[in-house]
Amino acid sequence: MYTQAMDTQGPESEDKTLRSVEEFQLQQRFDATIDDGGFIEAKDWMPENYRKTLVRQISQHAHSEIVGMLPEGNWITRAPTLKRKAILLAKVQDEGGHGLYLYAAAETLGTSRDQLLAALHSGKAKYSSIFNYPTLTWADVGTIGWLVDGAAIMNQVPICRCSYAPYARAMIRICREESFHQRQGFDSLLVMMQNGTEAQKAMVQDAVNRWWWPCLMMFGPPDDQSPNSAQGMRWGIKRVSNDDLRQKFVDATVEQAKVLGVTLPDPDLKWNEERGHWDFGAIDWDEFWRVVNGNGPCNRERLAARVKAWEEGAWVREAALAHAAKQAEREPQAA
Amino acid sequence: MSTEAKNEWPLWEVFVRSRAGLDHKHCGSLHAADAQMAIQMARDVYTRRQEGSSVWVVRSDHITASDPGDKGMFFDPMEDKVYRHPTFYKLPDSVDHM
Protein backbone atom coordinates (compact mmCIF):
# COMPACT_ATOMS: atom_id res chain seq x y z
CA MET A 1 0.00 0.00 0.00
CA TYR A 2 1.25 3.42 -0.85
CA THR A 3 2.11 6.12 1.56
CA GLN A 4 1.31 9.67 0.62
CA ALA A 5 3.31 11.04 3.53
CA MET A 6 6.33 11.93 1.40
CA ASP A 7 4.61 15.20 0.56
CA THR A 8 3.94 16.02 4.19
CA GLN A 9 7.59 16.50 5.13
CA GLY A 10 9.10 19.97 5.02
CA PRO A 11 11.03 20.98 1.89
CA GLU A 12 14.56 19.57 1.77
CA SER A 13 17.29 22.09 2.44
CA GLU A 14 19.36 22.39 -0.70
CA ASP A 15 22.99 21.53 -0.34
CA LYS A 16 24.77 24.64 -1.54
CA THR A 17 28.23 23.84 -0.24
CA LEU A 18 31.14 24.05 -2.66
CA ARG A 19 31.75 20.72 -4.28
CA SER A 20 34.82 19.18 -5.77
CA VAL A 21 35.10 18.88 -9.53
CA GLU A 22 34.69 15.13 -9.19
CA GLU A 23 31.43 15.44 -7.32
CA PHE A 24 30.19 17.95 -9.86
CA GLN A 25 30.90 15.45 -12.65
CA LEU A 26 29.17 12.68 -10.71
CA GLN A 27 26.13 14.92 -10.32
CA GLN A 28 26.14 15.63 -14.07
CA ARG A 29 26.29 11.94 -14.87
CA PHE A 30 23.53 11.23 -12.35
CA ASP A 31 21.29 13.94 -13.83
CA ALA A 32 21.95 12.66 -17.36
CA THR A 33 21.00 9.11 -16.32
CA ILE A 34 17.75 10.33 -14.78
CA ASP A 35 16.91 12.51 -17.78
CA ASP A 36 17.59 9.57 -20.10
CA GLY A 37 15.11 7.45 -18.17
CA GLY A 38 17.98 5.29 -16.92
CA PHE A 39 18.32 3.46 -13.60
CA ILE A 40 20.29 4.10 -10.46
CA GLU A 41 21.44 0.94 -8.66
CA ALA A 42 22.34 0.56 -5.00
CA LYS A 43 26.06 1.23 -5.19
CA ASP A 44 25.89 4.02 -7.78
CA TRP A 45 26.75 7.53 -6.70
CA MET A 46 23.67 9.57 -5.82
CA PRO A 47 22.98 12.97 -4.25
CA GLU A 48 22.59 12.70 -0.49
CA ASN A 49 19.07 14.17 -0.64
CA TYR A 50 18.03 11.63 -3.27
CA ARG A 51 19.20 8.87 -0.95
CA LYS A 52 17.48 10.38 2.12
CA THR A 53 14.23 10.96 0.24
CA LEU A 54 14.19 7.36 -0.98
CA VAL A 55 14.99 5.89 2.43
CA ARG A 56 12.07 7.85 3.84
CA GLN A 57 9.63 7.09 1.04
CA ILE A 58 10.47 3.39 0.65
CA SER A 59 10.52 2.71 4.38
CA GLN A 60 7.25 4.55 4.93
CA HIS A 61 5.78 2.54 2.09
CA ALA A 62 7.02 -0.62 3.85
CA HIS A 63 5.54 0.52 7.17
CA SER A 64 2.22 1.09 5.39
CA GLU A 65 2.15 -2.52 4.19
CA ILE A 66 2.87 -3.92 7.65
CA VAL A 67 0.43 -1.65 9.48
CA GLY A 68 -2.05 -2.36 6.67
CA MET A 69 -2.18 -5.98 7.84
CA LEU A 70 -3.95 -4.87 11.03
CA PRO A 71 -7.34 -3.55 9.86
CA GLU A 72 -7.95 -6.63 7.70
CA GLY A 73 -6.29 -9.06 10.10
CA ASN A 74 -9.05 -7.96 12.44
CA TRP A 75 -11.57 -9.98 10.37
CA ILE A 76 -9.65 -13.21 9.77
CA THR A 77 -11.33 -14.99 12.69
CA ARG A 78 -14.76 -13.74 11.61
CA ALA A 79 -14.77 -14.27 7.86
CA PRO A 80 -18.19 -15.68 6.89
CA THR A 81 -16.92 -18.75 5.00
CA LEU A 82 -13.78 -20.87 4.80
CA LYS A 83 -13.20 -19.63 1.26
CA ARG A 84 -13.26 -15.98 2.37
CA LYS A 85 -11.04 -16.80 5.34
CA ALA A 86 -8.44 -18.46 3.12
CA ILE A 87 -8.55 -15.53 0.70
CA LEU A 88 -8.18 -12.98 3.50
CA LEU A 89 -5.28 -14.93 5.02
CA ALA A 90 -3.55 -14.96 1.63
CA LYS A 91 -4.08 -11.23 1.16
CA VAL A 92 -2.78 -10.32 4.62
CA GLN A 93 0.19 -12.63 4.09
CA ASP A 94 0.88 -10.83 0.80
CA GLU A 95 0.88 -7.46 2.58
CA GLY A 96 3.46 -8.80 5.01
CA GLY A 97 5.51 -9.97 2.06
CA HIS A 98 5.18 -6.59 0.34
CA GLY A 99 6.46 -4.87 3.46
CA LEU A 100 9.47 -7.17 3.41
CA TYR A 101 10.24 -6.49 -0.28
CA LEU A 102 10.20 -2.78 0.53
CA TYR A 103 12.33 -3.01 3.67
CA ALA A 104 14.83 -4.97 1.57
CA ALA A 105 14.81 -2.19 -1.04
CA ALA A 106 15.19 0.53 1.62
CA GLU A 107 18.10 -1.32 3.22
CA THR A 108 20.07 -1.21 -0.05
CA LEU A 109 20.43 2.53 0.61
CA GLY A 110 22.56 2.07 3.70
CA THR A 111 20.10 1.89 6.56
CA SER A 112 19.24 -1.01 8.85
CA ARG A 113 15.93 -2.72 9.61
CA ASP A 114 16.25 -1.82 13.29
CA GLN A 115 16.71 1.86 12.45
CA LEU A 116 13.65 1.84 10.21
CA LEU A 117 11.52 0.13 12.82
CA ALA A 118 12.74 2.43 15.57
CA ALA A 119 11.57 5.37 13.48
CA LEU A 120 8.14 3.78 13.05
CA HIS A 121 7.73 2.82 16.70
CA SER A 122 8.79 6.23 17.97
CA GLY A 123 6.24 7.92 15.72
CA LYS A 124 8.92 9.66 13.66
CA ALA A 125 8.18 7.72 10.49
CA LYS A 126 4.73 7.79 8.94
CA TYR A 127 2.58 5.25 7.14
CA SER A 128 -0.39 5.76 4.86
CA SER A 129 -3.19 7.57 6.70
CA ILE A 130 -5.82 5.16 5.34
CA PHE A 131 -4.83 2.50 7.86
CA ASN A 132 -5.86 4.71 10.76
CA TYR A 133 -9.52 3.94 10.08
CA PRO A 134 -11.36 1.02 11.72
CA THR A 135 -12.88 -2.01 9.97
CA LEU A 136 -16.34 -2.09 11.49
CA THR A 137 -18.10 -4.76 9.39
CA TRP A 138 -17.34 -7.63 7.03
CA ALA A 139 -18.22 -5.31 4.13
CA ASP A 140 -15.24 -3.15 5.14
CA VAL A 141 -12.94 -6.00 4.09
CA GLY A 142 -14.36 -6.11 0.57
CA THR A 143 -14.44 -2.32 0.38
CA ILE A 144 -10.77 -2.09 1.36
CA GLY A 145 -9.92 -4.56 -1.41
CA TRP A 146 -11.95 -2.64 -3.99
CA LEU A 147 -11.17 0.97 -3.05
CA VAL A 148 -8.02 1.03 -0.91
CA ASP A 149 -6.11 -1.53 -2.97
CA GLY A 150 -7.54 0.08 -6.10
CA ALA A 151 -6.09 3.44 -5.07
CA ALA A 152 -2.80 1.79 -4.09
CA ILE A 153 -2.54 0.17 -7.52
CA MET A 154 -3.02 3.58 -9.18
CA ASN A 155 -0.19 4.97 -7.07
CA GLN A 156 2.09 1.99 -7.45
CA VAL A 157 2.03 1.27 -11.18
CA PRO A 158 3.96 4.45 -12.09
CA ILE A 159 6.57 3.64 -9.42
CA CYS A 160 7.43 0.50 -11.39
CA ARG A 161 9.34 2.98 -13.58
CA CYS A 162 11.04 4.76 -10.67
CA SER A 163 14.66 5.74 -11.30
CA TYR A 164 15.89 3.85 -8.23
CA ALA A 165 15.95 0.30 -9.57
CA PRO A 166 15.62 -1.74 -6.35
CA TYR A 167 12.44 0.20 -5.55
CA ALA A 168 11.13 -0.22 -9.12
CA ARG A 169 11.80 -3.98 -9.03
CA ALA A 170 10.07 -4.37 -5.66
CA MET A 171 7.12 -2.44 -7.08
CA ILE A 172 6.86 -4.75 -10.11
CA ARG A 173 6.62 -7.75 -7.78
CA ILE A 174 4.03 -5.97 -5.67
CA CYS A 175 1.87 -4.87 -8.60
CA ARG A 176 1.75 -8.43 -9.91
CA GLU A 177 0.29 -9.56 -6.60
CA GLU A 178 -1.88 -6.53 -5.92
CA SER A 179 -4.39 -7.17 -8.67
CA PHE A 180 -5.84 -10.18 -6.82
CA HIS A 181 -6.34 -7.96 -3.77
CA GLN A 182 -8.63 -5.63 -5.63
CA ARG A 183 -10.47 -8.40 -7.47
CA GLN A 184 -11.22 -10.42 -4.34
CA GLY A 185 -12.65 -7.33 -2.64
CA PHE A 186 -14.86 -6.45 -5.57
CA ASP A 187 -15.96 -10.08 -5.84
CA SER A 188 -16.92 -10.19 -2.17
CA LEU A 189 -19.00 -7.01 -2.48
CA LEU A 190 -20.60 -8.17 -5.72
CA VAL A 191 -21.85 -11.34 -4.07
CA MET A 192 -23.46 -9.31 -1.29
CA MET A 193 -24.99 -6.74 -3.65
CA GLN A 194 -26.33 -9.32 -6.10
CA ASN A 195 -27.36 -12.15 -3.76
CA GLY A 196 -27.45 -10.60 -0.33
CA THR A 197 -30.24 -9.59 2.02
CA GLU A 198 -31.32 -5.97 2.30
CA ALA A 199 -29.32 -5.71 5.50
CA GLN A 200 -26.19 -6.98 3.72
CA LYS A 201 -26.64 -4.52 0.86
CA ALA A 202 -27.06 -1.71 3.38
CA MET A 203 -23.87 -2.90 5.10
CA VAL A 204 -21.95 -2.62 1.83
CA GLN A 205 -23.31 0.87 1.15
CA ASP A 206 -22.40 1.93 4.68
CA ALA A 207 -18.83 0.69 4.24
CA VAL A 208 -18.50 2.58 0.95
CA ASN A 209 -19.84 5.72 2.63
CA ARG A 210 -17.11 5.53 5.27
CA TRP A 211 -14.14 4.60 3.06
CA TRP A 212 -14.69 6.71 -0.07
CA TRP A 213 -13.31 10.06 1.09
CA PRO A 214 -10.34 8.62 3.04
CA CYS A 215 -9.42 6.73 -0.15
CA LEU A 216 -9.36 9.95 -2.16
CA MET A 217 -7.02 11.36 0.49
CA MET A 218 -4.61 8.46 -0.12
CA PHE A 219 -3.27 10.33 -3.15
CA GLY A 220 -1.96 13.10 -0.92
CA PRO A 221 -2.57 16.84 -0.84
CA PRO A 222 -3.49 18.74 -4.02
CA ASP A 223 -0.57 19.45 -6.36
CA ASP A 224 -0.42 23.11 -5.39
CA GLN A 225 0.07 22.10 -1.76
CA SER A 226 2.70 19.44 -2.40
CA PRO A 227 6.05 21.23 -2.37
CA ASN A 228 8.13 18.06 -2.65
CA SER A 229 6.38 16.71 -5.75
CA ALA A 230 8.47 18.76 -8.17
CA GLN A 231 11.75 17.44 -6.79
CA GLY A 232 10.37 13.91 -6.78
CA MET A 233 9.50 14.27 -10.47
CA ARG A 234 12.93 15.74 -11.33
CA TRP A 235 14.55 12.74 -9.69
CA GLY A 236 12.35 10.23 -11.51
CA ILE A 237 10.85 8.96 -8.25
CA LYS A 238 7.42 10.44 -8.74
CA ARG A 239 6.06 10.04 -12.26
CA VAL A 240 2.45 11.24 -12.01
CA SER A 241 1.05 14.08 -9.90
CA ASN A 242 -1.29 13.56 -6.92
CA ASP A 243 -4.23 15.23 -8.63
CA ASP A 244 -3.78 13.29 -11.87
CA LEU A 245 -3.72 9.98 -10.01
CA ARG A 246 -6.73 10.96 -7.95
CA GLN A 247 -8.70 11.86 -11.08
CA LYS A 248 -7.76 8.54 -12.75
CA PHE A 249 -8.98 6.70 -9.67
CA VAL A 250 -12.33 8.52 -9.59
CA ASP A 251 -12.90 7.96 -13.31
CA ALA A 252 -12.23 4.21 -13.00
CA THR A 253 -14.17 3.72 -9.78
CA VAL A 254 -17.38 5.47 -10.82
CA GLU A 255 -17.89 2.82 -13.49
CA GLN A 256 -17.11 0.01 -11.04
CA ALA A 257 -19.60 1.42 -8.53
CA LYS A 258 -22.33 1.24 -11.18
CA VAL A 259 -21.65 -2.47 -11.67
CA LEU A 260 -21.90 -3.03 -7.93
CA GLY A 261 -25.01 -0.93 -7.58
CA VAL A 262 -23.62 1.26 -4.80
CA THR A 263 -23.73 5.06 -4.60
CA LEU A 264 -20.50 6.95 -4.05
CA PRO A 265 -21.21 9.43 -1.21
CA ASP A 266 -20.56 12.60 -3.20
CA PRO A 267 -23.51 14.72 -4.36
CA ASP A 268 -21.10 16.75 -6.52
CA LEU A 269 -19.97 13.74 -8.56
CA LYS A 270 -20.85 14.64 -12.14
CA TRP A 271 -19.56 13.76 -15.60
CA ASN A 272 -17.86 16.77 -17.20
CA GLU A 273 -18.16 16.35 -20.97
CA GLU A 274 -15.75 19.22 -21.67
CA ARG A 275 -12.97 17.80 -19.51
CA GLY A 276 -13.74 14.18 -20.32
CA HIS A 277 -13.53 13.34 -16.60
CA TRP A 278 -15.76 13.04 -13.56
CA ASP A 279 -15.98 16.20 -11.44
CA PHE A 280 -16.04 15.45 -7.73
CA GLY A 281 -16.67 17.35 -4.51
CA ALA A 282 -14.30 19.08 -2.12
CA ILE A 283 -12.12 16.88 0.09
CA ASP A 284 -11.97 17.72 3.78
CA TRP A 285 -8.23 18.35 4.07
CA ASP A 286 -8.59 19.18 7.76
CA GLU A 287 -9.51 15.55 8.33
CA PHE A 288 -6.52 14.42 6.27
CA TRP A 289 -4.03 16.49 8.28
CA ARG A 290 -5.63 15.46 11.56
CA VAL A 291 -5.22 11.79 10.68
CA VAL A 292 -1.70 12.16 9.24
CA ASN A 293 -0.61 14.04 12.35
CA GLY A 294 -1.76 11.34 14.74
CA ASN A 295 -5.39 12.10 15.53
CA GLY A 296 -7.32 9.68 13.36
CA PRO A 297 -9.65 7.04 14.84
CA CYS A 298 -7.02 4.31 15.16
CA ASN A 299 -3.56 5.90 15.13
CA ARG A 300 -2.70 5.08 18.72
CA GLU A 301 -4.16 1.59 18.47
CA ARG A 302 -2.19 0.79 15.29
CA LEU A 303 1.14 1.98 16.67
CA ALA A 304 0.53 0.23 20.00
CA ALA A 305 -0.11 -3.04 18.17
CA ARG A 306 3.18 -2.71 16.25
CA VAL A 307 5.21 -1.76 19.31
CA LYS A 308 3.67 -4.63 21.30
CA ALA A 309 4.49 -7.14 18.56
CA TRP A 310 8.09 -5.87 18.45
CA GLU A 311 8.61 -5.92 22.19
CA GLU A 312 6.89 -9.24 22.82
CA GLY A 313 8.79 -10.81 19.93
CA ALA A 314 12.21 -9.79 21.27
CA TRP A 315 12.77 -13.14 22.97
CA VAL A 316 12.11 -14.96 19.67
CA ARG A 317 14.68 -12.84 17.82
CA GLU A 318 17.25 -13.33 20.57
CA ALA A 319 16.58 -17.07 20.92
CA ALA A 320 16.94 -17.61 17.17
CA LEU A 321 20.33 -15.88 17.17
CA ALA A 322 21.48 -17.78 20.25
CA HIS A 323 20.40 -21.07 18.70
CA ALA A 324 22.15 -20.28 15.44
CA ALA A 325 25.34 -19.41 17.32
CA LYS A 326 25.18 -22.65 19.29
CA GLN A 327 24.66 -24.71 16.14
CA ALA A 328 27.58 -23.02 14.42
CA GLU A 329 29.80 -23.77 17.38
CA ARG A 330 28.84 -27.44 17.48
CA GLU A 331 29.28 -28.24 13.82
CA PRO A 332 32.88 -28.25 12.61
CA GLN A 333 33.05 -26.09 9.47
CA ALA A 334 33.55 -28.02 6.22
CA ALA A 335 36.67 -26.95 4.34
CA MET B 1 20.41 2.00 18.54
CA SER B 2 23.93 0.61 17.97
CA THR B 3 23.53 -2.23 20.47
CA GLU B 4 20.25 -3.14 18.80
CA ALA B 5 21.94 -3.23 15.40
CA LYS B 6 24.45 -5.78 16.72
CA ASN B 7 21.55 -8.08 17.62
CA GLU B 8 19.96 -7.86 14.20
CA TRP B 9 19.63 -11.07 12.24
CA PRO B 10 22.17 -11.03 9.40
CA LEU B 11 21.12 -10.06 5.89
CA TRP B 12 20.85 -12.67 3.14
CA GLU B 13 20.45 -12.20 -0.61
CA VAL B 14 17.90 -14.47 -2.25
CA PHE B 15 18.14 -16.05 -5.71
CA VAL B 16 15.25 -18.01 -7.20
CA ARG B 17 15.12 -20.33 -10.18
CA SER B 18 11.50 -20.25 -11.31
CA ARG B 19 11.69 -23.45 -13.31
CA ALA B 20 14.13 -26.05 -14.53
CA GLY B 21 16.14 -24.75 -17.47
CA LEU B 22 16.29 -21.14 -16.26
CA ASP B 23 18.96 -19.33 -14.25
CA HIS B 24 18.59 -18.31 -10.63
CA LYS B 25 17.63 -14.65 -10.50
CA HIS B 26 18.30 -12.25 -7.66
CA CYS B 27 14.99 -11.15 -6.21
CA GLY B 28 15.81 -9.32 -3.00
CA SER B 29 17.05 -9.80 0.53
CA LEU B 30 15.78 -10.81 3.96
CA HIS B 31 16.99 -11.10 7.54
CA ALA B 32 17.34 -14.57 9.09
CA ALA B 33 19.24 -16.03 12.02
CA ASP B 34 20.83 -18.84 10.01
CA ALA B 35 20.89 -20.50 6.60
CA GLN B 36 18.04 -22.92 7.27
CA MET B 37 15.74 -20.15 8.44
CA ALA B 38 16.82 -18.04 5.46
CA ILE B 39 15.78 -20.76 3.01
CA GLN B 40 12.38 -21.24 4.66
CA MET B 41 11.75 -17.53 4.80
CA ALA B 42 12.85 -17.08 1.20
CA ARG B 43 10.17 -19.56 0.22
CA ASP B 44 7.56 -17.65 2.21
CA VAL B 45 8.59 -14.20 1.07
CA TYR B 46 9.61 -14.74 -2.55
CA THR B 47 7.71 -17.79 -3.84
CA ARG B 48 4.11 -17.47 -2.67
CA ARG B 49 2.91 -18.14 -6.20
CA GLN B 50 5.08 -21.11 -7.06
CA GLU B 51 7.63 -18.83 -8.62
CA GLY B 52 10.42 -21.13 -7.46
CA SER B 53 11.74 -24.56 -8.18
CA SER B 54 15.04 -23.74 -6.48
CA VAL B 55 16.13 -21.13 -3.96
CA TRP B 56 19.66 -20.00 -3.07
CA VAL B 57 20.45 -17.79 -0.10
CA VAL B 58 23.82 -16.15 0.35
CA ARG B 59 24.85 -13.98 3.26
CA SER B 60 25.09 -10.46 1.84
CA ASP B 61 28.56 -9.94 3.26
CA HIS B 62 29.77 -13.01 1.33
CA ILE B 63 29.07 -11.40 -2.01
CA THR B 64 31.90 -9.73 -3.86
CA ALA B 65 30.73 -7.17 -6.37
CA SER B 66 32.41 -5.03 -8.97
CA ASP B 67 32.61 -1.37 -8.04
CA PRO B 68 30.18 0.64 -10.19
CA GLY B 69 32.73 3.46 -10.11
CA ASP B 70 35.02 1.18 -12.07
CA LYS B 71 32.34 0.44 -14.65
CA GLY B 72 34.35 2.26 -17.31
CA MET B 73 37.70 0.63 -16.64
CA PHE B 74 36.22 -2.77 -15.88
CA PHE B 75 34.04 -3.22 -18.94
CA ASP B 76 35.54 -0.82 -21.51
CA PRO B 77 38.06 -3.32 -22.94
CA MET B 78 35.06 -5.14 -24.40
CA GLU B 79 33.86 -2.03 -26.18
CA ASP B 80 36.37 -1.89 -29.03
CA LYS B 81 36.52 -5.61 -29.78
CA VAL B 82 33.74 -5.58 -32.37
CA TYR B 83 35.21 -8.67 -34.06
CA ARG B 84 33.59 -10.63 -31.20
CA HIS B 85 30.17 -10.00 -32.81
CA PRO B 86 28.81 -12.11 -35.69
CA THR B 87 27.66 -8.98 -37.55
CA PHE B 88 31.27 -7.88 -38.06
CA TYR B 89 31.66 -10.50 -40.80
CA LYS B 90 30.11 -9.92 -44.26
CA LEU B 91 29.50 -13.26 -45.99
CA PRO B 92 27.93 -14.19 -49.33
CA ASP B 93 24.12 -14.44 -49.09
CA SER B 94 24.11 -18.15 -49.80
CA VAL B 95 25.97 -18.88 -46.54
CA ASP B 96 24.80 -15.88 -44.47
CA HIS B 97 22.56 -18.07 -42.32
CA MET B 98 25.67 -19.01 -40.32
Side-chain angles (χ1 to χ4, degrees):
Chain A
M1 308 264 179
Y2 185 69
T3 177
Q4 80 283 61
M6 181 189 159
D7 291 335
T8 67
Q9 306 298 320
E12 295 289 347
S13 62
E14 261 208 55
D15 186 2
K16 291 203 157 60
T17 58
L18 273 176
R19 292 137 143 218
S20 65
V21 173
E22 195 198 338
E23 194 178 319
F24 185 76
Q25 284 175 339
L26 289 165
Q27 178 76 57
Q28 300 276 74
R29 210 178 303 169
F30 172 85
D31 287 339
T33 305
I34 302 283
D35 291 341
D36 260 343
F39 287 109
I40 307 296
E41 293 287 355
K43 296 300 171 214
D44 290 339
W45 183 90
M46 62 186 81
E48 199 45 42
N49 280 343
Y50 177 83
R51 181 189 304 275
K52 275 205 227 132
T53 298
L54 280 167
V55 168
R56 196 180 60 221
Q57 178 169 338
I58 301 173
S59 63
Q60 291 186 158
H61 195 163
H63 298 325
S64 298
E65 300 279 359
I66 303 297
V67 175
M69 296 167 76
L70 294 169
E72 288 176 288
N74 182 32
W75 280 91
I76 289 174
T77 57
R78 294 173 292 163
T81 66
L82 188 57
K83 168 179 153 183
R84 293 293 171 196
K85 191 196 289 291
I87 288 170
L88 187 53
L89 275 166
K91 178 179 196 285
V92 173
Q93 187 184 29
D94 266 358
E95 308 297 8
H98 294 179
L100 292 174
Y101 300 155
L102 290 163
Y103 284 129
E107 288 170 51
T108 63
L109 288 159
T111 178
S112 79
R113 180 73 61 87
D114 280 4
Q115 284 176 313
L116 299 176
L117 292 178
L120 173 67
H121 299 156
S122 68
K124 265 183 56 193
K126 303 231 177 270
Y127 53 87
S128 188
S129 59
I130 193 69
F131 301 119
N132 291 314
Y133 292 85
T135 42
L136 298 177
T137 72
W138 173 250
D140 286 40
V141 174
T143 304
I144 286 177
W146 173 41
L147 296 179
V148 176
D149 285 276
I153 290 170
M154 282 280 153
N155 260 321
Q156 287 171 175
V157 167
I159 307 179
C160 293
R161 292 174 284 126
C162 166
S163 58
Y164 188 59
Y167 191 21
R169 287 192 288 266
M171 207 47 50
I172 291 171
R173 282 195 160 266
I174 288 174
C175 284
R176 234 185 268 144
E177 301 180 351
E178 200 80 33
S179 163
F180 127 67
H181 297 184
Q182 189 180 26
R183 292 173 73 92
Q184 64 82 36
F186 192 84
D187 177 61
S188 171
L189 297 178
L190 196 59
V191 162
M192 285 187 272
M193 292 305 292
Q194 289 184 340
N195 305 324
T197 63
E198 287 312 305
Q200 287 165 340
K201 292 180 193 176
M203 181 174 69
V204 172
Q205 182 62 63
D206 170 70
V208 171
N209 291 346
R210 282 181 289 104
W211 286 92
W212 174 246
W213 292 102
C215 283
L216 292 190
M217 295 175 201
M218 282 176 74
F219 298 95
D223 293 349
D224 57 17
Q225 290 169 41
S226 301
N228 291 334
S229 283
Q231 182 66 83
M233 302 254 201
R234 262 201 304 280
W235 276 332
I237 299 173
K238 191 170 176 59
R239 297 290 188 189
V240 186
S241 81
N242 293 355
D243 287 337
D244 284 350
L245 288 171
R246 192 173 3 250
Q247 182 67 72
K248 263 188 83 171
F249 175 71
V250 173
D251 291 343
T253 309
V254 169
E255 301 306 324
Q256 295 162 357
K258 287 185 191 159
V259 172
L260 275 180
V262 296
T263 313
L264 297 174
D266 181 357
D268 296 321
L269 202 54
K270 204 164 59 162
W271 176 251
N272 184 320
E273 185 61 45
E274 203 186 307
R275 288 198 313 127
H277 292 288
W278 285 87
D279 287 338
F280 52 95
I283 293 172
D284 180 2
W285 291 109
D286 284 342
E287 175 182 336
F288 169 76
W289 289 112
R290 260 199 327 272
V291 177
V292 161
N293 290 326
N295 291 315
C298 297
N299 298 56
R300 277 172 264 282
E301 181 186 321
R302 298 288 179 238
L303 198 56
R306 288 312 314 153
V307 171
K308 180 169 190 261
W310 178 253
E311 289 175 352
E312 294 187 355
W315 73 269
V316 176
R317 297 191 296 278
E318 287 161 27
L321 269 181
H323 176 75
K326 237 194 235 176
Q327 295 294 102
E329 235 174 83
R330 282 199 190 129
E331 263 134 60
Q333 292 297 329
Chain B
M1 176 109 50
S2 56
T3 44
E4 273 275 23
K6 286 200 192 94
N7 289 333
E8 251 192 46
W9 290 351
L11 192 65
W12 302 75
E13 302 298 329
V14 179
F15 304 81
V16 174
R17 190 206 313 281
S18 55
R19 35 171 220 285
L22 298 175
D23 294 330
H24 283 79
K25 274 180 63 167
H26 180 246
C27 47
S29 67
L30 52 82
H31 290 271
D34 59 31
Q36 196 189 19
M37 186 192 277
I39 283 279
Q40 285 176 339
M41 287 186 170
R43 185 204 58 192
D44 290 342
V45 179
Y46 290 105
T47 71
R48 277 194 301 283
R49 284 163 177 78
Q50 296 183 299
E51 303 98 305
S53 68
S54 165
V55 176
W56 288 349
V57 293
V58 182
R59 275 186 58 145
S60 306
D61 56 11
H62 289 177
I63 292 190
T64 305
S66 60
D67 182 346
D70 293 341
K71 229 183 307 205
M73 289 190 312
F74 202 65
F75 295 111
D76 270 350
M78 317 303 165
E79 205 179 349
D80 60 354
K81 296 189 172 53
V82 290
Y83 45 79
R84 285 206 160 120
H85 294 270
T87 45
F88 181 75
Y89 302 89
K90 296 285 167 273
L91 301 181
D93 285 339
S94 54
V95 296
D96 204 24
H97 59 270
M98 275 189 224

